Amino acid sequence: MKLLSADAYVDGVRAGDRAMLARTITLVESELPRHAALAQEVLTRLLPATGGSRRVGISGVPGAGKSTFIDALGMHLVKAGKRVAVLAIDPSSTVSGGSILGDKTRMARLSREEAAYIRPSPSSGTLGGVARKTRETLLLCEAAGFDVVLVETVGVGQSETVVADLVDFYLVLMLAGAGDELQGIKRGILEVADMLAINKADGDNKPRAERARSELRAALHLMRPGAEPEITTCSALEGTGIEKLWTSVETQLGRSAVSGAMERRRKAQQVQWMWSMVQDGLRAALRAHPEVSALVPTLEADVREGRATPTSAALRVLGAFLPETRA
C-alpha cells in the first residue's frame, strides 16, 4: 500500500471522498508497525469531526436475516435523507484472514446507493466478532459525514455483548418461536439489548411473531424487571415495521442525549477502549517476545499431552515475559 501524507488522508475523509475513506480505513486496519504512527496522527486530527452520528449495533440469532434487515433499514434511512455507513463484521477465513460472507452481495439495494457506504471487515478472531479496528473505522465514518453508523456483528452469544462498548443503541433481531430461540441466545446479550425486533413477521408467520413477542416480554419481565427493552415486530422482506422501529430508536436516543446518558456512555466507552488497546498491545508483545516464542511450542505440547497443567505452563510464560514474576 502506497502511503500518502496525513493531510491527504484527513482532507479526503473530511471531504467525504469515498475512495479516500476506504484508503484511510485500510491504513487504520493495517497491522504493519510503520503504518501505526501515521494512522494515529490521522485519527487524532479527525477526532474533532467525530461524535455526530447515531451509532447502532445490530446482532441476532442465526437465520434472523441481519443483512436483509440492514438493507431494508438502510434504504429507509437513505430515503429519509440520511447518509448511512454499515460496518459489517464478517467471520474471518482461516486461510486468508479475509471476510468470507460478502455482505455487499446480501445488501444489494443499499450497496448501490451513493449515500450509503458498506465496509465488510474480517473479525480476525476477535472476541464477539467485533474487529479490533472497528472503533477507529466508526470514527472515520463519522468524520466523513455519515449520519448513522450501523455495526453488524457475526452472531449472537455472551461475547457479542462486546459490541455494546461501541455503540449508543443495541438492537437484537429475533425470530418467531421465542421459547425455543431463548435456548440458543445467551443471557448476557439480553441484559444489554436496548430493543428486540422479531423479524420475518409476514404471511403465515405473522401470528407466530406476535406470540413470540408475548413470550419474550414475559421472559424479559423476569430477567430485567422494570428495565425491559422494547420488543417490536417487522418484516425486512416486505419493509413493514421498519419505519416504526427506527422512530422508536431515534426517540430513545433523543432521550439519552438530552439526559446526558449518551455522553456518559461514550466517555465510559473511551476508557474501555483505552484498556482494550493496552490488552491488545500486551498480547502482541507477549507473543513477539523471543524467550516466550521459544517456550510456547513445548509448553503447548506438554499441556496437550497432560505433562503439565495449564496453570504451571502459564506461569512459565509469564516468568519468561516478566522475569520479576518468577518464583
Side-chain angles (χ1 to χ4, degrees):
M1 180 176 71
K2 181 181 178 182
L3 294 182
L4 305 175
S5 68
D7 286 342
Y9 289 113
V10 171
D11 293 344
V13 170
R14 290 297 304 271
D17 184 320
R18 296 162 67 92
M20 190 57 71
L21 173 60
R23 292 189 68 169
T24 309
I25 292 174
T26 299
L27 171 70
V28 167
E29 288 180 341
S30 173
E31 297 294 338
L32 296 178
R34 65 190 179 90
H35 293 166
L38 178 59
Q40 290 308 307
E41 179 185 352
V42 170
L43 282 166
T44 300
R45 290 175 57 181
L46 286 172
L47 272 180
T50 66
S53 74
R54 298 303 201 192
R55 306 170 182 176
V56 179
I58 299 176
S59 190
V61 297
K66 291 189 293 296
S67 294
T68 304
F69 171 82
I70 292 172
D71 191 47
L73 175 59
M75 289 301 298
H76 167 72
L77 293 171
V78 166
K79 289 175 181 176
K82 305 290 187 183
R83 296 187 68 215
V84 183
V86 179
L87 308 183
I89 313 300
D90 274 353
S92 296
S93 164
T94 56
V95 178
S96 67
S99 302
I100 60 177
L101 291 183
D103 283 84
K104 283 191 176 182
T105 63
R106 293 179 289 122
M107 299 179 194
R109 294 179 300 164
L110 192 60
S111 63
R112 294 194 296 266
E113 290 292 331
E114 187 63 29
Y117 180 76
I118 301 173
R119 178 76 181 198
S121 178
S123 65
S124 304
T126 306
L127 180 65
V130 180
R132 185 167 60 88
K133 299 295 187 180
T134 302
R135 292 177 175 88
E136 285 96 337
T137 303
L138 187 152
L139 293 178
L140 292 175
C141 290
E142 287 188 337
F146 287 95
D147 304 298
V148 180
V149 180
L150 305 176
V151 182
E152 177 195 8
T153 64
V154 171
V156 70
Q158 187 72 36
S159 61
E160 288 300 302
T161 58
V162 173
V163 78
D165 291 329
L166 298 175
V167 297
D168 303 318
F169 192 92
Y170 195 16
L171 170 66
V172 179
L173 294 182
M174 310 289 278
L175 289 170
D180 292 334
E181 74 188 32
L182 282 173
Q183 302 300 316
I185 188 168
K186 302 291 186 180
R187 181 186 179 99
I189 197 172
L190 294 178
E191 289 175 340
V192 298
D194 295 298
M195 178 186 288
L196 302 181
I198 302 167
N199 193 21
K200 303 185 180 180
D202 45 51
D204 294 339
N205 206 40
K206 202 168 184 178
R208 285 192 290 271
E210 289 299 329
R211 286 197 299 272
R213 179 159 66 169
S214 298
E215 292 171 11
L216 276 169
R217 186 177 290 114
L220 286 166
H221 180 69
L222 297 175
M223 188 180 296
R224 294 174 54 175
E228 301 97 321
E230 181 179 350
I231 305 172
T232 188
T233 61
C234 63
S235 169
L237 187 64
E238 295 182 348
T240 54
I242 301 296
E243 181 178 359
K244 178 183 176 183
L245 180 152
W246 184 252
T247 297
S248 181
V249 171
E250 286 213 302
T251 298
Q252 292 189 50
L253 286 174
R255 290 198 203 104
S256 178
V258 170
S259 69
M262 181 184 295
E263 183 179 1
R264 291 192 295 273
R265 181 171 180 169
R266 287 187 174 186
K267 286 180 177 179
Q269 289 171 345
Q270 289 289 89
V271 174
Q272 177 62 34
W273 180 0
M274 179 191 77
W275 284 110
S276 294
M277 297 308 294
V278 169
Q279 291 169 3
D280 285 346
L282 286 173
R283 191 177 296 112
L286 177 68
R287 291 191 174 278
H289 193 280
E291 192 173 342
V292 171
S293 297
L295 272 176
V296 164
T298 300
L299 288 176
E300 286 185 345
D302 287 345
V303 170
R304 190 180 299 114
E305 299 302 324
R307 294 188 294 267
T309 66
T311 300
S312 65
L315 289 173
R316 287 193 63 189
V317 169
L318 290 173
F321 185 59
L322 302 169
E324 62 271 22
T325 65
R326 290 174 182 164

